[in-house]
Amino acid sequence: MAQVLSMEEYDSMARPRIQKIPSFYGDCLIDGVIIRELMLYADERGYLSEIMRLDDEEMNAKDIKQIIASYSYPGMVKGWHLHSRQEDHLVCVTGMTKLVLYDYRRESPTYQVVNEIFMGEKHPRAIHIPPGIFHGTKNIGQGISVVIGMPSLFYDADDVDERRVNPVDNDIIPYDWDCKME
Ligand SMILES: Cc1cn([C@H]2C[C@H](O)[C@@H](COP(=O)(O)OP(=O)(O)O[C@H]3O[C@@H](C)C(=O)[C@@H](O)[C@H]3O)O2)c(=O)[nH]c1=O
């Protein structure tokens, strides 16, 4: 008969990671971040999702200035990006993406909190990211992923409101992009 662990041995083991509501990993949702679950309207021709409405006041969508499509190869990490003024709105429309956020605002109640948010075709959602929060994306699918970015500033190559930190080699953000398989 299989040996049943003692409760002391059982309790000494790590507990499973549990997603919070509205399904993300982290101690709490970073202050000011909004996760908008999107509907997929399916029929026999295919499916449709409304990814953003410019009258969405909670997402501050009226300030969106342009729309970009960011394509990533499987396994690729893009990040860490940090904006001082720009708000970002991100929706993964093709494939699946792990979006990781790190609150870098010293005055924030969630300073230094990390959030992992999984989004894409299998879990459509729009994410609002205030400035001051490091963000990066990883394509966790088997094909090209596409993330639609809707920033609140026009892109100005001569004055980009963005700073970057290497996603794997930095002494600022305590995060490992490798897959957590426990
Ligand atoms: C963001 C952006 C980039 N570019 C140019 C600059 C650069 O030569 C090339 C690649 O830019 P990036 O390295 O910034 O692209 P990428 O690394 O895919 O990052 C982008 O991903 C989305 C999801 C975001 O959140 C944005 O912050 C943006 O940085 O495209 C534009 O012409 N317009 C734009 O609006």
Side-chain angles (χ1 to χ4, degrees):
M1 182 156 154
Q3 173 66 29
V4 176
L5 292 177
S6 71
M7 283 317 290
E8 290 73 18
E9 287 168 319
Y10 180 75
D11 280 344
S12 70
M13 294 182 171
R15 293 172 184 273
R17 298 198 320 152
I18 308 288
Q19 294 207 43
K20 301 283 175 59
I21 304 299
S23 77
F24 68 96
Y25 286 108
D27 294 340
C28 60
L29 190 61
I30 290 172
D31 186 52
V33 169
I34 299 166
I35 299 177
R36 165 90 71 256
E37 305 293 350
L38 302 178
M39 279 290 294
L40 273 185
Y41 296 95
D43 61 37
E44 62 192 308
R45 302 164 301 152
Y47 45 96
L48 175 141
S49 180
E50 197 177 84
I51 63 175
M52 186 62 70
R53 294 180 62 100
L54 298 191
D55 61 358
D56 187 329
E57 292 180 8
E58 189 190 19
M59 298 289 262
N60 208 19
K62 67 180 176 9
D63 288 350
I64 289 171
K65 292 295 183 294
Q66 60 178 60
I67 299 174
I68 61 172
S70 176
Y71 302 80
S72 294
Y73 296 122
M76 191 58 66
V77 171
K78 288 188 169 184
W80 298 98
H81 302 168
L82 180 72
H83 308 299
S84 67
R85 292 169 288 121
Q86 176 176 301
E87 294 177 350
D88 273 342
H89 303 82
L90 303 182
V91 180
C92 175
V93 294
T94 300
M96 287 301 291
T97 292
K98 171 169 74 171
L99 170 66
V100 185
L101 307 175
Y102 179 68
D103 192 349
Y104 200 54
R105 300 166 297 180
R106 291 185 189 284
E107 74 289 349
S108 167
T110 53
Y111 177 51
Q112 296 184 321
V113 168
V114 175
N115 285 171
E116 290 173 296
I117 299 170
F118 292 87
M119 62 180 188
E121 288 181 83
K122 306 299 183 194
H123 195 156
R125 48 222 317 220
I127 315 296
H128 170 84
I129 307 171
I133 296 170
F134 271 110
H135 48 282
T137 58
K138 179 179 181 181
N139 177 347
I140 57 173
Q142 304 303 313
I144 294 270
S145 67
V146 183
V147 172
I148 301 297
M150 295 165 271
S152 64
L153 296 181
F154 289 112
Y155 184 80
D156 176 355
D158 297 323
D159 180 24
V160 182
D161 175 25
E162 185 171 278
R163 296 299 177 267
R164 292 192 173 183
V165 162
N166 185 289
V168 292
D169 180 18
N170 72 76
D171 56 2
I172 298 176
I173 305 161
Y175 184 75
D176 177 355
W177 283 93
D178 283 348
C179 176
K180 295 169 181 56
M181 291 186 271
E182 71 269 7

